[in-house]
Amino acid sequence: LSTQDIKNIEEFIKTNSFGFFEGKKCSCLVGASGSFETFYELAHQCPFPSKMNPQEIELSIFNKELNSIIHSTQKERDENEFIVPIRKKMAPIAAVKTRWIIDKLNVERIFVSPLSLKEGALLTTKDF
């Protein structure tokens, strides 16, 4: 992605989130399977653990992997065994979106859940 591509994606998110993220903070972000499993595998250079417990990734390592994916070429992603074929094309866009949310919410900790949203999620927060 070019610098302009990244700016366009970030501006699209900002515009289409209609201020939802303004003034909100979230110290912990839990990513549900999919791209987050890919981010985990890239950070650790091993398959995502099959156990049913969320796995924490150190924020600095996670951000390093996001930046690496954002600036990778299609050829680099195609040759990377830790990126499943379905994610090879769109991984940079997912990484830009994830990085934007982390920055916007001032996230301090990242967890990857082995469960996807289709398996259900329970969210408890005093804001809702």
Side-chain angles (χ1 to χ4, degrees):
L1 298 175
S2 70
T3 302
Q4 189 60 51
D5 291 334
I6 295 166
K7 286 180 184 178
N8 290 344
I9 294 166
E10 291 173 340
E11 187 60 34
F12 178 85
I13 299 167
K14 180 180 177 185
T15 300
N16 290 284
S17 64
F18 304 104
F20 176 81
F21 294 97
E22 297 303 320
K24 290 192 170 77
K25 289 184 82 176
C26 177
S27 63
C28 179
L29 176 66
V30 179
S33 69
S35 293
F36 279 84
E37 283 184 9
T38 298
F39 300 152
Y40 178 95
E41 291 177 356
L42 290 167
H44 294 284
Q45 294 293 293
C46 69
F48 188 76
S50 60
K51 62 183 179 177
M52 297 303 285
N53 296 322
Q55 301 292 308
E56 185 169 8
I57 303 178
E58 184 180 323
L59 184 59
S60 63
I61 293 170
F62 191 80
N63 281 328
K64 180 181 174 213
E65 289 307 323
L66 292 179
N67 289 328
S68 178
I69 293 168
I70 290 167
H71 299 290
S72 67
T73 65
Q74 184 66 53
K75 183 177 187 300
E76 290 169 331
R77 292 189 305 278
D78 286 342
E79 293 173 353
N80 192 317
E81 66 181 294
F82 294 108
I83 303 176
V84 295
I86 195 169
R87 302 207 190 293
K88 290 185 186 283
K89 184 173 183 181
M90 300 301 287
I93 296 170
V96 170
K97 292 162 72 174
T98 302
R99 185 177 71 179
W100 187 88
I101 290 171
I102 289 169
D103 292 344
K104 193 68 174 171
L105 296 177
N106 297 308
V107 170
E108 298 169 2
R109 296 178 74 190
I110 303 283
F111 291 86
V112 180
S113 170
L115 301 175
S116 67
L117 293 178
K118 68 183 174 196
E119 286 135 354
L122 173 64
L123 173 67
T124 304
T125 178
K126 60 185 173 187
D127 289 340
F128 292 144

